[in-house]
Every structure is written in C-alpha cells, then in structure tokens.
Amino acid sequence: MPSLTGPRAAVALSAMAVTLAMAVPLAAQDYAAGLLACRRQSDTMARLACYDALPAKAPGTVFRGTGSQVTPPFDLQAPTLLSFESMDAIMVVYLLDGTGAVVQNLHQAGAGTASYLIRHPGRYSLQVNASGGWRMSLEKP
C-alpha cells in the first residue's frame, strides 16, 4: 500500500474524516447501524477507518457467586440476553420481577452454559440456587 505524505496526505485524511463522520452514526451505540454504515464504504481505507472508529462494545452486567444467593435488583430498558454458567452439578435460577414474583424458572444440569432472552423492560433480580460456582451476565442480544 503506497504511503501518502505532504499535502496529498492531508487531503486524503480530510476526505477520510468527512467520509467517516458520515459513515458512523454520532451515537454509535447502535452497533448494527455502525457496522452497516462501514460495510457500505467502497474505499478500503475509509471502510477500515470506519470500523476502527466504532466503539468497543460496552461490557454487560456480570454476577458471580457460589451456592445460593439473590442478586441486587437491576433495571432493563430493552430486551436483554441473560447468559448463565454453572461450574458444578446443579444450578436453578429464578428470574424475579420487581415484586419478587417468579417470571421464569431456568436451570443448568451439570457444568455448562445456557441463555434466556428477557423480552420485557422492567425491574428484575435473580435468585440462584447452585451446588457450586456460577456466573451470569446481562447483555444486549
């Protein structure tokens, strides 16, 4: 790939910045829209710069523990993927609404992972009954 120096480099970088500003949504929180905008770039350098400008995905909420526990309440504004991992023989998870009522009963038999899509916004908590260690995360689907 040829390198640009002097005025040509400044013009190329300015053009790339304008293209990039048009390609990446200002609130580039919407990864799908950002990726689609980058894919539409026909110029290779502009496309790569667009991908580089996308923000790193924000980490979701993570809960870890051993045995039986209830997580602190958390609020969801949109559908959210609950991923859960058991590190021992038995793990039962109750998704509780803001009043403490069971919304969904989930389980993982043996060590392994599973997931559940929480479809509705609201206040929730998780009651975990496990024979060993566990990990759960909440992330955008």
Side-chain angles (χ1 to χ4, degrees):
M1 176 183 310
S3 68
L4 299 175
T5 57
R8 287 184 66 202
V11 169
L13 288 174
S14 294
M16 199 177 315
V18 168
T19 302
L20 185 58
M22 293 178 352
V24 178
L26 289 177
Q29 298 299 322
D30 183 356
Y31 248 163
L35 288 171
L36 288 173
C38 292
R39 285 184 190 147
R40 289 188 201 111
Q41 297 298 315
S42 57
D43 179 74
T44 302
M45 291 300 293
R47 186 173 49 257
L48 290 174
C50 181
Y51 284 128
D52 286 344
L54 289 173
K57 187 175 180 180
T61 301
V62 176
F63 301 104
R64 297 173 197 263
T66 302
S68 297
Q69 295 181 27
V70 177
T71 68
F74 52 89
D75 295 310
L76 302 180
Q77 308 304 319
T80 302
L81 186 65
L82 167 65
S83 298
F84 49 99
E85 176 183 9
S86 173
M87 292 144 197
D88 202 18
I90 300 168
M91 182 170 84
V92 177
V93 179
Y94 299 99
L95 176 64
L96 307 174
D97 68 13
T99 67
V102 175
V103 174
Q104 185 67 39
N105 180 2
L106 307 160
H107 73 281
Q108 175 61 41
T113 61
S115 62
Y116 173 76
L117 181 64
I118 304 171
R119 297 183 191 280
H120 304 288
R123 176 161 272 225
Y124 297 94
S125 61
L126 300 162
Q127 178 181 331
V128 183
N129 300 325
S131 58
W134 50 266
R135 179 185 182 279
M136 292 183 285
S137 65
L138 299 165
E139 297 181 359
K140 290 182 180 181

